[in-house]
Amino acid sequence: MIRTRRVRPEDADALAALVQRNREFLKPWEPQRDEAHYTVAGQRAGIDAALEQYERGLMVPQVILDDVDIVGRVFLTGIAYGAARSCDITYWVSGEANGRGIATDAVGQLRQYAFDVMGLHRVQAASLVHNVASQKVLERNGFRRFGLAPSYLHIAGRWQDHVLFQALAP
Ligand SMILES: CC(C)(COP(=O)(O)OP(=O)(O)OC[C@H]1O[C@@H](n2cnc3c(N)ncnc32)[C@H](O)[C@@H]1OP(=O)(O)O)[C@@H](O)C(=O)NCCC(=O)NCCS
């Protein structure tokens, strides 16, 4: 069973092992990471920062569990209230667990959380133009593409264009 739960400080060991194992797999899809990112201490610092943002209502940092094992991450970030009531969704799933519908399931759960629990109006996602797998995950969860953002995010060492998607609350 796929479920997500809030990341915990004690997840640092498992997450460090996971990002080490997926270093080459994730490289083309992520910002450039420093060496600390691949250590337990670096992961622990990232978790602490994420939980601090969670306490302030700015982020929902979840790990993805396949039964009891952590197989990835799905975050709601950039949560904005006021007239926008919007957030972004970002995610990754460990390479060896790909192709089993895990991201589709996890993104669906967080989309529902954003609308039903947080009362948000809109969830946005940005996908590299050639990230077909991610676009499939979004489309299967009712996200619609609405634009192309030139040089939107600094990924794998350069500013890259992204396709923007959004899902609106039912
Ligand atoms: C994108 C990602 C999250 C997908 O995770 P996943 O658990 O494999 O996703 P799912 O199994 O739910 O769905 C992926 C779909 O894309 C398909 N797919 C994978 N690679 C593909 C490709 N190159 N071209 C076309 N379809 C592809 C899969 O077959 C699957 O579709 P299917 O169920 O119809 O067979 C994962 O590959 C990942 O973490 N990538 C690196 C980080 C990343 O890109 N994050 C998203 C940033 S927007």
XYZ file of all heavy atoms in Angstrom, residues 25-26 29 91-93 97-104 126-127 131-134 136-137 140, ligand 1:
230
model
N 20.384 8.902 -10.945
C 19.011 8.862 -11.463
C 18.330 10.234 -11.334
O 17.614 10.684 -12.238
C 18.217 7.791 -10.705
C 16.739 7.801 -11.019
C 16.276 7.399 -12.264
C 15.812 8.248 -10.078
C 14.922 7.435 -12.569
C 14.463 8.281 -10.369
C 14.012 7.879 -11.619
N 18.555 10.894 -10.197
C 17.837 12.162 -9.944
C 18.534 13.375 -10.550
O 17.901 14.422 -10.756
C 17.659 12.372 -8.429
C 16.707 11.382 -7.737
C 16.715 11.605 -6.221
C 15.268 11.546 -8.269
N 17.084 15.892 -13.073
C 15.762 16.448 -12.758
C 15.783 17.397 -11.564
O 14.735 17.887 -11.148
C 14.785 15.297 -12.462
C 14.871 14.189 -13.454
C 15.410 12.958 -13.252
C 14.447 14.223 -14.826
N 15.345 12.217 -14.403
C 14.749 12.967 -15.384
C 13.840 15.203 -15.623
C 14.467 12.651 -16.717
C 13.562 14.881 -16.950
C 13.874 13.634 -17.479
N 8.033 16.248 -6.336
C 8.075 14.838 -5.916
C 9.186 14.100 -6.637
O 9.643 14.523 -7.706
C 6.738 14.135 -6.214
C 6.187 14.460 -7.571
C 6.534 13.723 -8.702
C 5.356 15.561 -7.745
C 6.062 14.050 -9.951
C 4.870 15.901 -8.996
C 5.228 15.144 -10.090
O 4.760 15.495 -11.339
N 9.638 13.031 -6.025
C 10.473 12.047 -6.720
C 10.248 10.675 -6.103
O 9.857 10.567 -4.952
C 11.965 12.417 -6.737
C 12.630 12.641 -5.406
C 12.878 13.837 -4.808
C 13.178 11.639 -4.519
N 13.530 13.661 -3.612
C 13.729 12.313 -3.403
C 13.257 10.246 -4.559
C 14.337 11.634 -2.347
C 13.861 9.569 -3.501
C 14.402 10.265 -2.422
N 10.490 9.664 -6.925
C 10.352 8.265 -6.483
C 11.640 7.552 -6.867
O 12.148 7.719 -7.986
C 9.131 7.585 -7.148
C 9.144 6.075 -6.915
C 7.835 8.197 -6.618
N 11.907 1.791 -7.870
C 10.468 1.664 -7.578
C 9.611 2.320 -8.665
O 8.389 2.385 -8.547
C 10.158 2.279 -6.211
N 10.270 2.798 -9.738
C 9.523 3.495 -10.797
C 8.626 2.557 -11.591
O 8.846 1.345 -11.637
C 10.515 4.169 -11.763
C 10.822 5.615 -11.379
O 11.025 6.474 -12.229
N 10.846 5.913 -10.085
N 7.604 3.152 -12.206
C 6.761 2.411 -13.140
C 5.707 1.534 -12.490
O 5.110 0.698 -13.140
N 5.481 1.759 -11.185
C 4.467 0.967 -10.478
C 3.299 1.830 -9.999
O 2.527 1.420 -9.137
C 5.103 0.261 -9.275
C 6.057 -0.856 -9.684
C 6.887 -1.360 -8.520
N 6.121 -1.434 -7.283
C 6.639 -1.304 -6.060
N 7.922 -1.099 -5.895
N 5.871 -1.391 -5.003
N 3.230 3.055 -10.499
C 2.109 3.921 -10.127
C 2.276 4.616 -8.790
O 1.340 5.231 -8.271
N 3.501 4.558 -8.215
C 3.701 5.122 -6.875
C 3.568 6.649 -6.888
O 2.875 7.229 -6.053
C 5.068 4.680 -6.299
C 5.050 3.167 -6.072
C 5.380 5.426 -5.008
C 6.372 2.573 -5.586
N 4.205 7.304 -7.853
C 4.105 8.767 -7.905
C 2.661 9.188 -8.173
O 2.153 10.141 -7.563
C 5.034 9.322 -8.981
N 1.996 8.484 -9.067
C 0.601 8.827 -9.381
C -0.250 8.775 -8.113
O -1.033 9.700 -7.831
C 0.044 7.843 -10.436
O 0.831 7.972 -11.625
C -1.410 8.151 -10.764
N 5.498 22.175 -12.019
C 6.332 22.556 -13.160
C 7.145 21.339 -13.574
O 7.809 20.725 -12.743
C 7.258 23.701 -12.774
N 7.072 20.999 -14.856
C 7.785 19.824 -15.349
C 8.762 20.245 -16.446
O 8.411 21.035 -17.319
C 6.764 18.834 -15.923
O 7.378 17.930 -16.811
N 10.230 15.795 -19.492
C 9.937 14.857 -18.395
C 8.553 14.225 -18.594
O 7.576 14.528 -17.899
C 10.037 15.563 -17.046
C 10.152 14.571 -15.896
O 9.886 13.375 -16.075
N 10.538 15.063 -14.730
N 8.500 13.322 -19.569
C 7.215 12.725 -19.960
C 6.586 11.931 -18.814
O 5.370 11.951 -18.619
C 7.409 11.825 -21.203
C 6.083 11.262 -21.670
C 8.057 12.609 -22.322
N 7.423 11.208 -18.043
C 6.882 10.392 -16.946
C 6.161 11.295 -15.934
O 5.043 10.992 -15.493
C 8.010 9.618 -16.268
N 6.776 12.403 -15.596
C 6.165 13.312 -14.624
C 4.878 13.930 -15.183
O 3.883 14.095 -14.453
C 7.164 14.407 -14.255
O 6.613 15.232 -13.272
N 2.891 12.565 -17.216
C 1.875 11.519 -17.160
C 1.266 11.438 -15.758
O 0.054 11.313 -15.589
C 2.524 10.176 -17.523
C 1.718 9.342 -18.473
C 2.535 8.188 -19.000
C 1.619 7.181 -19.652
N 2.352 6.042 -20.205
N 2.131 11.519 -14.757
C 1.679 11.488 -13.357
C 0.691 12.629 -13.110
O -0.369 12.451 -12.497
C 2.900 11.620 -12.402
C 2.465 11.923 -10.981
C 3.750 10.352 -12.457
N -2.672 12.252 -15.106
C -3.539 11.208 -14.529
C -4.207 11.658 -13.238
O -5.142 11.043 -12.758
C -2.734 9.931 -14.292
C -2.506 9.181 -15.580
C -2.196 7.734 -15.329
N -0.903 7.605 -14.685
C -0.028 6.657 -14.991
N -0.301 5.776 -15.911
N 1.111 6.588 -14.362
C 8.681 11.178 -12.575
C 8.604 10.156 -11.447
C 8.168 10.832 -10.156
C 7.609 9.058 -11.832
O 7.490 8.136 -10.757
P 6.747 6.722 -10.959
O 6.409 6.190 -9.605
O 7.537 5.870 -11.857
O 5.412 7.201 -11.712
P 4.148 6.334 -12.127
O 4.519 4.876 -12.161
O 3.026 6.732 -11.244
O 3.819 6.862 -13.592
C 4.844 7.069 -14.530
C 4.308 6.794 -15.926
O 5.216 7.341 -16.886
C 5.620 6.314 -17.790
N 6.947 6.647 -18.252
C 8.125 6.539 -17.605
N 9.127 6.991 -18.371
C 8.569 7.378 -19.541
C 9.066 7.922 -20.728
N 10.367 8.166 -20.888
N 8.187 8.215 -21.730
C 6.876 7.972 -21.591
N 6.326 7.475 -20.456
C 7.183 7.165 -19.463
C 5.511 5.058 -16.992
O 5.443 3.922 -17.824
C 4.219 5.310 -16.238
O 3.086 5.168 -17.064
P 2.197 3.828 -17.096
O 1.713 3.620 -15.690
O 1.111 4.156 -18.058
O 3.105 2.729 -17.552
C 10.009 9.479 -11.236
O 10.460 8.957 -12.456
C 11.037 10.423 -10.683
O 11.161 10.583 -9.473
N 11.814 11.075 -11.587
C 12.885 11.983 -11.170
C 12.367 13.217 -10.421
C 11.249 13.904 -11.155
O 11.229 13.978 -12.358
N 10.311 14.465 -10.388
C 9.194 15.203 -10.930
C 9.541 16.636 -11.102
S 8.211 17.557 -11.893
